[in-house]
Amino acid sequence: MANHAWVLEVRPGYEEEYQRRHDEIWPDMLETLQVAGIRNYNIFRHGLTLFGYFETDDLDKAIAHLKDCPVNARWGEWMGPIMKVEVDPATSFPYLLPLQFHMD
């Protein structure tokens, strides 16, 4: 199992809307993440900065599944107007953060 993290931003004024949308996350979006092999997925917010953390056994498989999934595409379109997202052109996925320290 490998752990991964990303940083994105909520657009100013959309903090409550971002929270509401995740409080009411679509069941088929949760299923999509599970089918992609993503687990222990957490998103934290500090001001406008979002920090996401997730675990997966196969990152390439997870990214490929999400890239081709219509549910994920709809979620991205729905969330796009309220977020600033930087995507790595090599993966079509948000830039992942390099691990700096790990303690068991």
Side-chain angles (χ1 to χ4, degrees), residues 72-83:
N72 188 57
R74 280 191 300 119
W75 181 262
E77 288 173 16
W78 193 52
M79 296 300 290
I82 68 169
M83 296 179 63

Side-chain angles (χ1 to χ4, degrees), residues 9 19 26 35 37 59 63 68-69 83 93 101:
E9 290 183 47
Q19 182 64 56
W26 309 336
V35 170
L59 180 62
I63 290 173
D68 294 334
C69 179
M83 296 179 63
F93 197 75
F101 173 79

